[in-house]
């Protein structure tokens, strides 16, 4: 209840309403006339400063004796429309400028070739002067430019600071990976053996499996609740590569390391994304992935700890994923699915890849739609009457149209309820896609607050009448010393080169955002 004070009974005199403490949609107010007071229905919702002048129409309503004693039902509050925002406005200026510089170089026919040559030299050099970890000046330059654009940090404090900043921008979390890689020589690659006995085995455990396990365990500990950790088996070296290539179980020491990593991830509830790799070892990775999914994805239906990665550009992916879904349905575990377009176009045999980009796009969108609906479709086919298992989904895509399609489907009535879905892009790339997700999440949260629906926001589609689907936006980011990250940075540079149209689109988006900020600063636009 609130009080209103009439300064005079004459309709010519103003009536002031005290609305201090006024709750939205109070059903009645009190009008004071000198020492007396009268109860009147409030036919309008009052939103005002502590004291406001009541209009003549409102005054007539408030002082109309015929309305005394009547308490009409209150009209519903119409929520104000959510504020629109420029997606890239969530980025700090430093990120916009770094992104603009990176994409400008990557889309330049003049600047890109020498830049790639220099990065290739730095990534594979044995000269101390060209090693960023041993050359302070080189490290300072790289860490403030390319490293800052794509990587999280060199130590725990820097990594946590980067993750916190991404979450302040509005990202749900990160997909965190350890950048250090085991690089085999050409002769080692050609002459892969089991390496599980004698001095060679000890060397593999000491120099390859041990560092990989320690780095991955540290990565799991760095991740926070809601984050993911990416795990690349080939980083464990020769024993891993030999076993994967020949579809053998993990060797003894490697199995112990994987078990320890998975146990820690399950204990901390940090899902592991087993990365896809070249076709030569992918079948072995699939075998290991299913083995660990059976073990760790059984206890909490609908929540996966272990995810496999499926590349939509491979013609065989729908049938492979379909068989894995059937296995999960038959054995009763949740299948963790990370869906990407594909990352080994330059090394996988061309005939096993879709002939056109349009075919890859259709495969990706069709698989994503089936997973979100939890229904077989034209692309992802199952046996007639076969059940579709519970799935947890991570969509990795830099394609804006695919992301929008997935979001629209997720927010529709066709989406399967209680299915985990995260959407991610590489840190430093496709920010126009990532920031649209962040902006959409902010708008949905704002709509939730303004509509004042019960139940709060939810990340689970179909959770109830009051739930609002809020997009879960992630950035894939690696950590490690500047030198350890050079090979990762080189791959990002080549990826930008190979996706020229997308890189130019990102560059143009950054120019538009920079122009928008200038206009806002000058007060001539929004």
């Amino acid at each position: 209840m609130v009080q209103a004070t009439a300064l005079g009974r004459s309709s010519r005199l103003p009536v002031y309403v005290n609305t201090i403490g006024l709750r939205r949609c109070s059903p009645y107010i009190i009008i004071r006339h000198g020492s007396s007071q009268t109860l009147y229905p409030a036919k309008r919702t009052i939103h005002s400063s502590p004291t406001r002048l009541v209009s003549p129409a409102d005054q007539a309503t408030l002082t109309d004796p015929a309305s005394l004693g009547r308490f009409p039902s209150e009209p519903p509050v119409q929520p104000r429309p959510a504020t629109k925002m420029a997606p890239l406005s969530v980025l700090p200026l430093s990120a916009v400028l770094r992104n603009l510089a990176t994409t400008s170089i990557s889309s330049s026919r003049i600047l890109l070739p020498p830049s790639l040559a220099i990065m290739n030299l730095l990534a594979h050099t044995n000269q101390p002067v060209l090693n960023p970890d041993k050359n302070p000046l080189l490290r300072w330059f790289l860490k403030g430019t390319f490293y800052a654009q794509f990587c999280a940090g060199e130590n725990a404090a820097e990594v946590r600071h980067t993750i916190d900043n991404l979450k302040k921008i509005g990202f749900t979390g990160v997909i965190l990976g350890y950048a250090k890689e085991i690089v085999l020589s050409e002769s080692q690659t050609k002459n892969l053996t089991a390496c599980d006995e004698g001095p060679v085995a000890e060397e593999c455990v000491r120099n390859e499996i041990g560092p990989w396990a320690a780095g991955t365990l540290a990565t799991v500990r760095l991740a926070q609740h809601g984050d993911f950790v990416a795990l690349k088996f080939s980083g464990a070296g020769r024993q891993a590569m030999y076993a994967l290539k020949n579809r053998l179980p993990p060797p003894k020491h490697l199995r112990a390391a994987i078990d320890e990593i998975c146990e820690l991830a399950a204990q901390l509830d940090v899902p592991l994304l087993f990365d896809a790799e070249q076709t030569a070892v992918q079948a072995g990775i699939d075998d290991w992935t299913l083995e660990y999914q059976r073990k760790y994805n059984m206890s909490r239906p609908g929540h996966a700890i272990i995810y496999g990665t499926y590349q939509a550009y491979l013609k065989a992916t729908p049938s492979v994923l379909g068989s894995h879904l059937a296995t999960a349905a038959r054995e009763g575990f949740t299948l963790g699915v990370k869906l990407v377009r594909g990352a080994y176009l330059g090394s996988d045999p061309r005939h096993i890849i879709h002939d056109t980009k349009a075919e890859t796009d259709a495969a990706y969108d069709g698989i994503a739609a089936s997973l979100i609906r939890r229904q077989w479709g034209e692309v992802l086919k199952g046996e007639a009457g076969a059940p579709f298992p519970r799935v947890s989904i991570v969509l990795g895509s830099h394609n804006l149209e695919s992301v929008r399609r997935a979001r629209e489907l997720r927010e529709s009535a066709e989406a399967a309820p209680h299915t985990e879905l995260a959407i991610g892009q590489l840190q430093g790339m496709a920010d126009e896609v990532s920031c649209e997700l962040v902006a959409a999440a902010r708008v949905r949260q704002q709509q939730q607050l303004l509509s004042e629906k019960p139940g709060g926001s939810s990340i689970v589609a179909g959770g109830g009448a009051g739930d609002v689907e809020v997009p879960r936006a992630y950035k894939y980011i690696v950590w490690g010393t500047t030198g350890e990250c050079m090979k990762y940075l080189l791959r990002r540079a080549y990826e930008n080169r190979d996706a020229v149209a997308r890189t130019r689109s990102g560059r143009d988006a950054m120019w538009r955002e920079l122009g928008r900020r200038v206009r806002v600063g000058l007060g001539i636009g929004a």
Side-chain angles (χ1 to χ4, degrees), residues 57-74:
D58 285 337
Q59 183 176 345
T61 300
L62 293 173
T63 57
D64 179 12
S67 66
L68 287 174
R70 290 192 288 112
F71 294 86
S73 60
E74 198 171 45

Side-chain angles (χ1 to χ4, degrees), residues 244-399:
L244 290 170
K245 188 175 181 180
N246 293 280
R247 298 191 71 170
L248 300 173
K252 178 178 63 175
H253 293 288
L254 180 58
R255 178 178 289 280
I258 298 173
D259 288 344
E260 185 179 6
I261 292 166
C262 292
E263 286 291 341
L264 180 63
Q267 177 186 338
L268 299 178
D269 194 19
V270 174
L272 297 174
L273 308 181
F274 289 0
D275 276 349
E277 303 195 42
Q278 293 96 330
T279 303
V281 297
Q282 187 57 49
I285 292 174
D286 289 343
D287 293 342
W288 293 7
T289 301
L290 285 176
E291 176 186 345
Y292 282 94
Q293 289 201 0
R294 289 184 179 98
K295 184 174 181 180
Y296 290 98
N297 291 1
M298 194 79 75
S299 59
R300 290 176 59 184
H303 179 67
I305 291 295
I306 307 298
Y307 286 69
T309 300
Y310 300 86
Q311 302 185 98
Y313 76 169
L314 297 176
K315 296 176 182 178
T317 290
S319 62
V320 171
L321 177 55
S323 69
H324 293 179
L325 289 164
T327 299
R330 184 172 59 253
E331 299 182 20
F333 62 87
T334 299
L335 193 73
V337 178
K338 176 188 169 188
L339 181 65
V340 300
R341 270 176 169 71
Y344 299 95
L345 188 61
S347 57
D348 278 343
R350 187 62 184 87
H351 68 278
I352 68 173
I353 298 171
H354 286 297
D355 297 330
T356 65
K357 181 179 181 299
E359 291 175 341
T360 296
D361 291 343
Y364 186 97
D365 293 338
I367 293 171
S370 284
L371 293 172
I372 293 171
R373 292 189 180 104
R374 283 183 59 202
Q375 293 178 358
W376 305 108
E378 293 184 2
V379 177
L380 192 59
K381 300 176 181 179
E383 295 181 4
F388 204 102
R390 292 187 179 273
V391 290
S392 293
I393 312 164
V394 173
L395 296 181
S397 178
H398 292 177
N399 185 295

Side-chain angles (χ1 to χ4, degrees), residues 132-462:
D133 291 340
K134 298 179 180 179
N135 183 330
L137 184 61
L138 182 61
R139 175 179 174 273
W140 172 82
F141 172 76
L142 289 171
K143 192 169 181 182
T145 53
F146 294 102
Y147 183 96
Q149 178 71 1
F150 296 103
C151 303
E154 295 188 307
N155 53 54
E158 292 180 359
V159 172
R160 291 194 177 101
H161 178 72
T162 300
I163 294 175
D164 289 343
N165 284 341
L166 286 170
K167 291 184 177 180
K168 286 177 184 177
I169 288 173
F171 289 98
T172 307
V174 298
I175 301 170
L176 188 62
Y178 183 46
K180 185 175 181 179
E181 299 179 6
I182 302 298
V183 181
L184 304 180
S185 66
E186 186 176 352
S187 61
Q188 287 176 324
T189 304
K190 288 182 177 179
N191 300 304
L192 279 175
T193 61
C195 300
D196 55 0
E197 294 182 359
V200 176
E202 295 177 4
E203 179 194 350
C204 287
V205 173
R206 181 175 62 255
N207 297 331
E208 297 172 7
I209 295 175
W212 173 81
T216 306
L217 287 168
T219 306
V220 174
R221 294 188 183 98
L222 281 171
Q224 303 170 9
H225 181 72
D227 294 337
F228 297 86
V229 164
L231 184 151
K232 199 177 186 73
F233 284 122
S234 62
R238 283 169 283 176
Q239 286 194 15
M241 292 291 286
Y242 179 84
L244 290 170
K245 188 175 181 180
N246 293 280
R247 298 191 71 170
L248 300 173
K252 178 178 63 175
H253 293 288
L254 180 58
R255 178 178 289 280
I258 298 173
D259 288 344
E260 185 179 6
I261 292 166
C262 292
E263 286 291 341
L264 180 63
Q267 177 186 338
L268 299 178
D269 194 19
V270 174
L272 297 174
L273 308 181
F274 289 0
D275 276 349
E277 303 195 42
Q278 293 96 330
T279 303
V281 297
Q282 187 57 49
I285 292 174
D286 289 343
D287 293 342
W288 293 7
T289 301
L290 285 176
E291 176 186 345
Y292 282 94
Q293 289 201 0
R294 289 184 179 98
K295 184 174 181 180
Y296 290 98
N297 291 1
M298 194 79 75
S299 59
R300 290 176 59 184
H303 179 67
I305 291 295
I306 307 298
Y307 286 69
T309 300
Y310 300 86
Q311 302 185 98
Y313 76 169
L314 297 176
K315 296 176 182 178
T317 290
S319 62
V320 171
L321 177 55
S323 69
H324 293 179
L325 289 164
T327 299
R330 184 172 59 253
E331 299 182 20
F333 62 87
T334 299
L335 193 73
V337 178
K338 176 188 169 188
L339 181 65
V340 300
R341 270 176 169 71
Y344 299 95
L345 188 61
S347 57
D348 278 343
R350 187 62 184 87
H351 68 278
I352 68 173
I353 298 171
H354 286 297
D355 297 330
T356 65
K357 181 179 181 299
E359 291 175 341
T360 296
D361 291 343
Y364 186 97
D365 293 338
I367 293 171
S370 284
L371 293 172
I372 293 171
R373 292 189 180 104
R374 283 183 59 202
Q375 293 178 358
W376 305 108
E378 293 184 2
V379 177
L380 192 59
K381 300 176 181 179
E383 295 181 4
F388 204 102
R390 292 187 179 273
V391 290
S392 293
I393 312 164
V394 173
L395 296 181
S397 178
H398 292 177
N399 185 295
L400 184 58
E401 290 306 314
S402 288
V403 171
R404 285 176 175 171
R405 286 172 185 263
R407 273 185 49 213
E408 290 171 2
L409 180 58
R410 173 66 164 182
E411 294 167 5
S412 74
E414 297 179 56
H418 312 298
T419 299
E420 296 176 329
L421 171 64
I423 305 176
Q425 293 80 38
L426 292 169
Q427 170 69 357
M429 297 174 65
D431 280 337
E432 68 279 9
V433 180
S434 302
C435 292
E436 182 172 299
L437 282 169
V438 170
R442 289 188 177 185
V443 170
R444 296 307 299 269
Q445 289 165 343
Q446 186 182 20
Q447 289 174 338
Q448 176 76 9
L449 291 173
L450 292 176
S451 64
E452 295 183 348
K453 291 181 179 180
S457 63
S458 172
I459 61 173
V460 180

Side-chain angles (χ1 to χ4, degrees), residues 31-107:
I31 304 295
R32 278 193 179 150
H33 306 274
S35 60
S36 63
Q37 60 183 28
T38 309
L39 187 70
Y40 288 89
K43 294 187 177 182
R44 300 188 183 191
T45 301
I46 302 175
H47 298 283
S48 68
S49 57
T51 302
R52 75 174 177 90
L53 182 65
V54 179
S55 69
D58 285 337
Q59 183 176 345
T61 300
L62 293 173
T63 57
D64 179 12
S67 66
L68 287 174
R70 290 192 288 112
F71 294 86
S73 60
E74 198 171 45
V77 177
Q78 297 298 323
R80 292 166 289 178
T83 303
K84 292 184 178 180
M85 62 185 298
L88 291 173
S89 65
V90 303
L91 291 178
L93 180 60
S94 59
V96 173
L97 294 175
R98 276 198 310 268
N99 199 311
L100 183 57
T102 302
T103 52
S104 295
I105 293 173
S106 299
S107 58

Side-chain angles (χ1 to χ4, degrees), residues 106-143:
S106 299
S107 58
S108 170
R109 294 181 179 178
I110 298 174
L111 297 176
L112 184 57
S115 299
L116 286 174
I118 293 171
M119 292 189 68
N120 189 66
L121 177 63
L122 296 177
H124 298 98
T125 185
N126 293 320
Q127 300 295 324
V129 71
L130 297 177
N131 185 337
D133 291 340
K134 298 179 180 179
N135 183 330
L137 184 61
L138 182 61
R139 175 179 174 273
W140 172 82
F141 172 76
L142 289 171
K143 192 169 181 182

